[in-house]
Amino acid sequence: MKARQFLKNTVILAVGAVVLRLIGIGFSGWLTRKIGSEGMGLFQLVFTIYNFASTLATSGIYLAVTRLVAEELGKGKYGRAAAAMRVSMVFGAVVSAGAAAFLWFGAPYIGVHILQDGRTVRSLRVLAAALPFMAFSCSLRGYFFAIREVWKTNTSQILEQLIRIAVVALAFQIVLPKGLEWACVGIALGSVGGEAVAFCYTLTLYLRDKHKRTFVKEKSAVMARPVLAIAGPVALSGYLKAALSSIENILVPRGLRRYGADTATALAQYGMMEAMVMPVLNFPAALIASFSNLLVPEVAEWRATGKTGEIAKLTGRVLRVTLLFALPVSAAFICFGEELGGAIYGNPEAGKMLWIMAPLTPILYLDTVADALLKGMDQQVAVMRYSIIDSGLSVLLLYTLLPLFGVKGYITVLFFTSFVNASLSISRLSKVVRIPFNFSRWIGRPMLAAGAAGAVTMLVMRGAALPDGWRAGVGIVLLALLYAAALYLLGIGRRTMRWSRRLRSQTQ
């Protein structure tokens, strides 16, 4: 691996991911103030079905392109990489057309009978237009990841978000007075506009890159079987996973109504958890997700060239660094979750839920990294199998527990299923590659450092008379500094610095 290029791409991708999530959280906060918790719940219902349709349109394409282009370029065969791109684009065109037809023609039945809210029908039909653009962009972004030009993916996604926000803001001037149904239509129009502009941008970049390269053209048929061998199983399992996930999301407001909440309250509670709490909880994972996405082509290339020893070393280091990062994040949410919820959404209840969900962060972040490593090692079918088990358990438990315990049941299900999914992924990873686990260095000392930093921070900030946002910001910075100092004193920081120097020294 060219360490300098990898580290450079990690920084680029991490900065882009942070910007994207900041934009997303800011946009979510703005939407909450415009349409309220009930509107966010209705919007989330619409996007539950849209996410299912987008899975139908794109599942398997991104991984197939990233894996095959990285492997073929690693072998010096650009002609085969270009053929894989052509096959993937055709595959995306066919499946996205089917998904768009499903969403357009199925919208009335889905909205009235499945979502049990006719206000969702118009938005679902509008969103059908976004799916072909999304499928093509998925192939192009996979290509840019494989050739390690991640800035192109970053800029396309940021452009997509900015166009989306601009279209929504413009549409709201017209549709917002008409009620929540039309507000969701305005949000849907923003998604279509964002996807369309992002596709045009990424296609232009791809054509410019292609013209720079000279290669012997391969027939598309040569790469059709490898593409389908990766995309097919992932797509089929992805469809099942998406169906279960959609059922899971539909069950939440229904279960809350069966618990005793009226429709507006059920939608508000659902919107608070899915559209407010979970995006903030996952915001710090932008750094982890960026690093994880870059691991897929690197590990795929190492696997293709037989560097199993390098994969084993990388696996242990990445999992350890993930825990080093996730534990203080969890401590920060425990200490300042309520202030963050109040500052971002003006909703104290969202802040309370963020505090309750804080211990889940290490589990979520470890699962993200483990899945990426497994995909790079040709274990994508196992990853999807565990996701299906996760969703199947969620459906069963939500159907059983929500009518009995309400939101408490929902939180219990999230913790349990997340733990099961992460345990299965890490167990599989340990079978594929040897992980040099050390409890003290991986968990014991970092947890002690995070706990001590959190306790001292709370003592220092106890008397600080600051607004919620400032209190949270200052407190998190202080906690991070104290955590870094505690790690260094415990000997963990010095090891991490030596590892960073070894990575840089590998650059040729």
Side-chain angles (χ1 to χ4, degrees), residues 187-270:
I187 299 171
L189 286 170
S191 294
V192 175
E195 292 290 351
V197 172
F199 163 68
C200 294
Y201 174 74
T202 49
L203 180 62
T204 301
L205 293 177
Y206 171 70
L207 293 175
R208 289 178 61 185
D209 181 84
K210 187 177 178 181
H211 288 317
K212 295 177 184 176
R213 302 176 186 268
T214 56
F215 59 94
V216 178
K217 187 173 181 179
E218 290 271 8
K219 293 182 179 179
S220 297
V222 172
M223 295 303 296
R225 181 171 292 180
V227 169
L228 293 177
I230 296 173
V234 173
L236 291 175
S237 53
Y239 298 160
L240 179 56
K241 157 70 177 174
L244 289 170
S245 182
S246 297
I247 294 170
E248 176 186 341
N249 286 314
I250 292 167
L251 282 174
V252 175
R254 286 192 184 186
L256 293 173
R257 285 196 295 268
R258 289 172 62 195
Y259 179 68
D262 58 33
T263 299
T265 303
L267 282 175
Q269 290 177 332
Y270 173 60

Side-chain angles (χ1 to χ4, degrees), residues 307-391:
K307 296 181 179 179
T308 54
E310 295 295 328
I311 294 174
K313 292 177 184 177
L314 179 69
T315 299
R317 289 167 179 166
V318 167
L319 290 177
R320 181 158 53 88
V321 169
T322 300
L323 281 169
L324 284 173
F325 175 77
L327 289 170
V329 168
S330 181
F333 282 132
I334 290 171
C335 293
F336 301 104
E338 293 190 45
E339 287 88 346
L340 286 170
I344 297 170
Y345 300 112
N347 188 325
E349 189 65 23
K352 182 180 178 181
M353 286 297 174
L354 189 59
W355 173 77
I356 292 171
M357 300 296 293
L360 189 61
T361 50
I363 300 172
L364 294 175
Y365 298 1
L366 274 177
D367 187 49
T368 298
V369 171
D371 285 356
L373 289 165
L374 286 170
K375 288 175 182 176
M377 288 183 272
D378 199 28
Q379 297 292 314
Q380 63 273 2
V381 175
V383 172
M384 291 307 304
R385 183 166 64 247
Y386 302 148
S387 294
I388 290 168
I389 291 171
D390 175 8
S391 292

Side-chain angles (χ1 to χ4, degrees), residues 69-77 301 305:
V69 171
E71 289 175 4
E72 297 303 331
L73 290 181
K75 300 173 185 175
K77 298 179 179 179
E301 186 175 315
T305 53

Side-chain angles (χ1 to χ4, degrees), residues 34 194 265 445 459:
K34 287 286 186 180
T265 303
R445 282 182 278 175
L459 286 173

